[in-house]
Amino acid sequence: MPQPDADTHRLLHTPAEAAALLAVRESWLRREAGRREIPCTFLGRHLRFSSDDLASIAGQAPGPHAPPDHRAAAPSPFGTESSSCAATLALLGHRSVHPPVTP
C-alpha cells in the first residue's frame, strides 16, 4: 500500500498554513481558536490544526467567505441630509440660517 505524500497529508498544520488552506486571515483563525469557536489542537502553547479540523471549519461556513457589508445593512439613523440637519438643530435649540426645505 503506497504511503501518502508527507507534505500534502500532514498530521498538523500551523495557523499560517491552515489560514492559507482555508483562504482566511490568520488573525481570524487564531482569534476563533482562542475563543474555542472552531476545532483546533493546542500542543502546550502552540496552536495547530488537523486535517479533520480544517474540514470541519470549512464545513461550518454556509457560503463563500466574504466580509459582511455593514454599511449597506443599516439605514442611517439621521435620515436624509436636509431633514436630519433641521431636526438636529431643533433639538439643540439652534435656528437654521436657511429657509425650511419643502418637498
Side-chain angles (χ1 to χ4, degrees):
M1 181 170 180
Q3 294 294 326
D5 183 24
D7 289 336
T8 58
H9 298 289
R10 296 177 57 145
L11 294 176
L12 296 174
H13 300 276
T14 65
E17 294 166 343
L21 290 168
L22 294 170
V24 297
R25 290 185 177 169
E26 183 180 348
S27 60
W28 176 86
L29 202 60
R30 286 182 178 276
R31 183 175 56 251
E32 295 300 303
R35 292 179 184 163
R36 308 301 195 265
E37 294 290 330
I38 56 174
C40 62
T41 301
F42 283 94
L43 299 174
R45 296 182 338 184
H46 302 283
L47 175 62
R48 296 293 183 263
F49 297 91
S50 69
S51 296
D52 290 339
D53 293 341
L54 299 181
S56 178
I57 294 167
Q60 289 176 3
H65 296 285
D69 187 3
H70 296 290
R71 293 172 293 170
S76 172
F78 302 111
T80 62
E81 184 179 63
S82 61
S83 65
S84 68
C85 290
T88 302
L89 289 173
L91 286 173
L92 296 174
H94 293 83
R95 293 189 183 137
S96 175
V97 294
H98 302 288
V101 177
T102 55

